Amino acid sequence: MTVLATPVALARARAAARREGRPWTFYALAGLFIFYVVALYGPMICIYVLSFQDVRGGLVFPMKGMSLHWFVDLFTQVRTGDVKGSFDRSIKLAVLVTAITVVVSFMAGLAFRRRFPGDTAVFYLMIGSLVAPGLVLGIGTGLLFNALGIETSWYTSALGAQLSWILPFGVLVMFAVMSRFNRVWEEAAWDLGASRWQTIWLVIVPIIAPGLIAVGLFGFTLSYDEFARTLQTAGSLNTLPLEIWSMTLNVTSPSLYALGTVTTIISFAIIGASLATIALIQRRRAEGGRPGGHA
Amino acid sequence: MTSSSPSRGKWSGWLLVSPLVLVLVPFFVLPIVIVLVASFLESDGFGGLIRTFTLANYGGLLSSKLTLALYLETVKFAALTWFFSLIIGFFVAYFLAFHVRNQLLAIGLFLLCTVPFWTSNIIRMISWIPLLGKEGLINTALIKTGLIGQPLEFLLFSGFAVVVAYVHQLTIFMIVPIFNSMARIDRRLLEAAVDAGTSRFDVLRLVVVPLTKSGIALGSIFVISIVMGDFFVVKVMSGGGTASVVGAFYEDIGVLQYPAAAASAVLLTLVLSALVLLILRSVDIRREIAQ
Amino acid sequence: MSLGPGHIELAGVSKSYDGQTTAVDAINLKITDGAYCCLLGPSGCGKTTILRMIAGHEEPTTGEILIGGEDVVGLPPVARRTAMMFQSYALFPHLSVRDNIAFPLRVRGRSKMDRHAAADAMIEKVRLGELADRLPAQLSGGQQQRVALARAAITEPRVLLLDEPLSALDEQLRVQMRQELRRMQRELGITFVHVTHTQLEAIALADLVVVMDKGVIRQAGAARDIYAAPRDRYVAEFLGGQNVFSGKVQRVNGVSVTLAAPELRAIAVPLGSARPDAGDTIDVAVRRDDIVLLRPGVPLADGLSSLSARVLGVEYQGNFVKVMLDALGPSEFVAYVPERDFFRDPHQIGDVVVAAWQADRARLLA
């Protein structure tokens, strides 16, 4: 018995000692993680760098010169299409989608916390809308507008087509957000005399604010980047992804890369602002102690 | 004075969910119905529809060898993308959730993974061109080191490039839900299992995987439905050499063959729904997310 | 009739969630104005459901709930003038201590100056002065509890309902906060209804202890009555401190019954209000601290009942020693022997002893 027990005890002790260091799996997985991050960023960094070439520049390395030539080219040349206009439309559309997604997802998130007649049907409707092939829905929507005699445009049919995909996403994220909201806060508010509206505005919304911003951020990027559903529903005026798509077919100059750099900068500015807002809220909560204790 | 407790009101659920339904009905249900109806009509050859019921579109679709080839091609891409994004996504999430001890660092690294998601997919796809191309970085480097004499042709405008682009774009859809599931696992559970002498592989197989089932299912639904519903990546990254189900659909639309395209769309939607239902049967996602 | 504002009466109150099983079954209960009442029972006994029905968070399936003489069924908590303190306190994580306490005034439309003045007065009352600007996450469990108490009390409710208020605290703090609750109740002079599953908590705090089991009240009364004179086997075992055994009635002689059981010789038990017949099986309780342990062979005084038994275990408890005996076979039979008495002649495990008690101290259970 003791003869057997000793090696086991030794192994245990050794295992305990090893926990101070790292198991081999840590190094293996760290390697995988680094590989993933490099593969994730590497190609993108390549095109950002290549977009700053001068007029001799091509689509591949090596780098030929340094200038902002292709950025100027992007906004001035006819063959690169209506970048400015489509950019403008995409931002407006994304803002619209974001606002609607936050409000509708929040409401649906509240609804789905308990069962109601037909909830499963609505849930599957949502999942269906999420997984349906985008191009098919886009064409269906286009045909529907056609049949009704309504002109398709980015702010009607494309807005709806985008929402049919982005809302289910928003609601799923909202489920996760809501699962961290304790119902007892709501009960307490009611017990203390708050009306339904006061409960929503003074308790639920402030508590889940970071989650709502995350949903908004989701909505914005998904819309800003949406392609398949918008293709057949945007009407005569293009959104930015449609413009980029036609550029990939016609333009073979670093202008394309310059566009990539510009859109990335815009995206980063927006995420930066959103994350900063979330961080600010979290920090205020963590540190507390607002001077004067205003309401 | 309020008279309704938060736990009451049978219709409040419907009221709250009505805006969602008001979007989904005209922009999901009706378009699908229209496509379904169109799939049973005849084409006049000029983009118009003739109101006679016919099964010819489905007949043509199901008897064509091309259909099977297209589906095989699309399913192949979906399966490969699913496999690689699952493996990478699972282990990246595992690393972040269980190996990075500093929580702030874990969140920082997690954000690092999600950042590219906020940039244009199309741009991210074409960003592979300067790397994988004939004169791209990889070929140049390999030739310079003398490993190869001729540039590798299969790197760009090939099935390989398609899978690379998909995995590059979609792994994040695996990481986020799986990380979310893992974040709820009590680490002490794993430590207890290891202390009890369970091997790391068994801990993974018996504890971690079952507890992240909902995340894996959700990620799989995202990845599979996006790949099967996409034609753009295949079109650009395969260099036009490979077709896809949705690509063929797009071509049909281009030549105004609406009924044939619609039949193909209905078939694809059915296949996709069956796949998703299969996944949903194995795990109650709604309960898992909202728990 | 002049019932105080905080007088609570439940009349035939039942609650069923699915129409088949009843969580609360035809409860009748009166709690006088200004009393401290504890609802005591294991989890799932219906005590929290009763609390939530008084609070207005749930409505009874049948029956009436009267507060201050008026039927409040269907009214929201505000109209009932009740306030609830939740088990985990339910403090709003985004609001400071002051804003949490001022919240009920805010939703009633009171001005900011007004409500902050009221909140600050309350903060002083619960001794949280320097923490007014902190957020809940930065407070200890005890501090959080005081904030919850202050927030519930600021609207001057006539009834305060507390759902397991001490369960989130550690042992030492629990005793301290227990006293604090009692002090607040006296200062506010309102009815407190407190749900707990801890016997000690209930008998230490309450004017009225209500022992519950499976949706019905087993016994309601003053703490001392419940502890010293449990009505039935359930109450005796739940409150603890009693040896409970059953036996068959052999004879009834007007003032006492004689019963026998496989493990014991004939034992006489005084008749209370019960009127058992010969042949009935009845339960008897004897307080553990009424048991005296004697060495075998020592002559017994008059009026003592006794059992002989073997010592199974000895646990030192500080002011007394807990001696476990095998007198009843598999069921527990324990003597609480005063510390000094025990060590005058200590028993060892395995010793044979005679456990004796004054025959009139034994009680018949219903």
Side-chain angles (χ1 to χ4, degrees), chain A residues 12-175:
Chain A
R12 286 261 168 80
R14 217 174 282 150
R18 207 180 323 138
R19 199 159 327 126
E20 298 309 313
R22 303 281 197 176
W24 65 269
T25 49
F26 171 82
Y27 298 100
L29 290 179
L32 175 78
F33 181 77
I34 290 166
F35 168 77
Y36 175 67
V37 170
V38 168
L40 202 56
Y41 283 86
M44 294 165 62
I45 290 170
C46 286
I47 68 158
Y48 303 150
V49 171
L50 287 174
S51 67
F52 288 97
Q53 299 177 92
D54 68 21
V55 68
R56 295 164 297 151
L59 286 178
V60 292
F61 283 103
M63 199 64 188
K64 296 192 180 80
M66 266 285 267
S67 78
L68 292 176
H69 174 84
W70 299 107
F71 290 89
V72 177
D73 187 72
L74 181 66
F75 289 101
T76 51
Q77 291 292 313
V78 177
R79 71 189 159 84
T80 51
D82 181 18
V83 171
K84 239 181 110 209
S86 61
F87 182 70
D88 198 46
R89 283 185 285 278
S90 268
I91 293 278
K92 281 182 188 154
L93 181 58
V95 168
L96 214 56
V97 167
T98 305
I100 296 171
T101 303
V102 170
V103 175
V104 175
S105 304
F106 175 58
M107 291 173 72
L110 286 178
F112 272 105
R113 288 185 303 166
R114 52 178 165 268
R115 305 213 61 114
F116 55 91
D119 57 348
T120 314
V122 177
F123 181 74
Y124 277 105
L125 195 65
M126 215 171 72
I127 296 290
S129 193
L130 183 73
V131 302
L135 194 65
V136 171
L137 275 196
I139 283 166
T141 308
L143 288 174
L144 175 67
F145 271 64
N146 214 346
L148 296 174
I150 309 169
E151 278 285 309
T152 52
S153 69
W154 61 268
Y155 49 84
T156 54
S157 45
L159 173 68
Q162 289 198 351
L163 285 174
S164 74
W165 188 55
I166 296 167
L167 281 183
F169 250 109
V171 176
L172 285 184
V173 178
M174 210 60 221
F175 279 4

Side-chain angles (χ1 to χ4, degrees), chain A residues 235-255:
Chain A
S236 51
L237 299 170
N238 273 352
T239 60
L240 192 60
L242 302 185
E243 203 61 45
I244 300 176
W245 147 258
S246 66
M247 271 179 80
T248 59
L249 302 178
N250 315 322
V251 179
T252 47
S253 73
S255 268

Side-chain angles (χ1 to χ4, degrees), chain C residues 261-330:
Chain C
E263 308 88 3
L264 33 103
R265 292 188 304 252
I267 279 173
V269 178
L271 268 177
S273 53
R275 289 284 167 269
D277 291 317
D280 289 355
T281 301
I282 52 171
D283 292 330
V284 173
V286 182
R287 280 173 66 154
R288 291 175 174 180
D289 50 0
D290 278 340
I291 311 280
V292 191
L293 297 185
L294 304 165
R295 294 286 176 190
V298 176
L300 286 180
D302 269 359
L304 282 183
S305 296
S306 70
L307 297 165
S308 78
R310 198 178 285 278
V311 174
L312 289 176
V314 175
E315 256 179 30
Y316 184 62
Q317 303 276 342
N319 53 349
F320 67 91
V321 177
K322 184 176 174 186
V323 182
M324 273 87 58
L325 304 169
D326 70 349
L328 298 179

